[in-house]
Amino acid sequence: MNTKGRKNVDNERVDDDAVTALPQGLQAHSVLPDNRSALERGLELALAQQLYGIKHPFPDLLNAHNTSAAYLPYLAAERQLTVWDEQDELEVKQNLVSQAWEVKRLGGTRGGLKKALASLDFDSEITPWYRLQEQNAQPYFLDIVAWEKGNKALDVSKLHKLQRYIQDNKSERDEISLSLMFGVETQLGLTGAAAPVTNVVETESAATIWPMPDVTAPLAIGGGMPPPVNMTYVNAQAMT
């Protein structure tokens, strides 16, 4: 009889290989009643091991930035997004899906509204009523100034989605004033040059020519001749 294995906390012998892939909680605890048999416990462990041994076929299914773009509409429906538009850019869709739960969690707060605007690729400044310069500002009034990232021109369709998303995530008692802006970028170059200042002053003075000095210099002449060289041709013949 094969006795390989060990006992768990219930004093039931289980195969060591069968529990290597299981979480510690499943190895120590069981969903079966206390009067379970060793066979039932073995079947439970075997089935659990088979389930945990299957590699996840879609590890990034719920990750909006890593999953396939074809799955984004289903994730948007699951997270109850009301501003979904297939014509939006992929980055906007990914941001909407990935931040949907966080926007709902912060719903009714300035942080939630700021994240909602960022999901649609808008930067914003949100000022509550008590920080406004207007003297007649009413409680629960928010002034929102938003502009699309990249200084893009204003799109009317995006404006409608922005308003709808704000209405979905603001507090019921809040009143919103929304102002949309867009930036214009330009370059201005300014160059200059400055010449050094030159001052001209006329002066008069007397000048005399210095006398030529007397110069005494020694002069020597040397000469030389190389010794003569005489060359004589000699014809010699050797006899043996």
Side-chain angles (χ1 to χ4, degrees):
M1 181 178 181
N2 185 10
T3 59
K4 179 185 177 182
R6 59 183 177 84
K7 290 185 178 181
N8 61 4
V9 294
D10 296 326
N11 293 325
E12 297 170 354
R13 185 169 298 278
V14 294
D15 191 354
D16 287 335
D17 296 334
V19 296
T20 53
L22 296 179
Q24 185 65 31
L26 290 179
Q27 298 179 28
H29 304 284
S30 172
V31 297
L32 297 174
D34 293 339
N35 61 347
R36 60 185 176 271
S37 65
L39 177 60
E40 291 173 335
R41 176 60 174 162
L43 290 174
E44 180 186 28
L45 288 173
L47 292 175
Q49 187 216 8
Q50 292 297 321
L51 290 176
Y52 277 86
I54 299 175
K55 187 178 180 180
H56 200 310
F58 302 107
D60 296 323
L61 179 62
L62 301 181
N63 189 324
H65 292 282
N66 294 334
T67 191
S68 173
Y71 300 148
L72 290 176
Y74 303 101
L75 295 179
E78 178 197 18
R79 300 174 188 185
Q80 301 177 3
L81 281 171
T82 59
V83 293
W84 189 257
D85 188 355
E86 288 294 335
Q87 304 302 320
D88 284 337
E89 298 177 359
L90 177 61
E91 184 178 359
V92 174
K93 295 179 183 179
Q94 291 174 338
N95 290 337
L96 281 170
V97 172
S98 63
Q99 300 185 23
W101 293 133
E102 187 68 12
V103 171
K104 291 183 181 297
R105 187 179 70 85
L106 298 175
T109 65
R110 279 180 288 162
L113 291 175
K114 199 169 186 68
K115 281 189 172 294
L117 292 167
S119 299
L120 290 170
D121 208 25
F122 278 84
D123 287 327
S124 61
E125 291 182 359
I126 303 177
T127 308
W129 64 275
Y130 54 84
R131 291 185 178 176
L132 293 174
Q133 300 297 328
E134 302 176 6
Q135 298 297 328
N136 58 348
Q138 299 297 320
Y140 310 116
F141 177 81
L142 295 175
D143 181 68
I144 300 178
V145 178
W147 59 94
E148 192 169 5
K149 296 178 182 178
N151 294 327
K152 300 177 183 178
L154 183 60
D155 190 347
V156 177
S157 62
K158 289 185 178 180
L159 171 61
H160 295 327
K161 285 186 291 186
L162 197 61
Q163 291 176 326
R164 189 164 66 252
Y165 207 31
I166 290 176
Q167 290 297 323
D168 290 343
N169 294 282
K170 76 177 187 66
S171 177
E172 288 291 336
R173 62 188 178 183
D174 286 343
E175 294 184 5
I176 304 294
S177 173
L178 177 62
S179 302
L180 294 181
M181 304 176 63
F182 68 94
V184 177
E185 293 183 357
T186 185
Q187 294 182 352
L188 176 63
L190 181 63
T191 59
V197 179
T198 303
N199 295 325
V200 179
V201 180
E202 295 183 0
T203 59
E204 294 182 1
S205 61
T208 57
I209 300 177
W210 292 347
M212 295 300 294
D214 296 332
V215 177
T216 302
L219 177 63
I221 298 175
M225 176 179 290
V229 178
N230 296 323
M231 299 182 65
T232 304
Y233 294 94
V234 177
N235 293 324
Q237 185 176 6
M239 302 296 293
T240 59

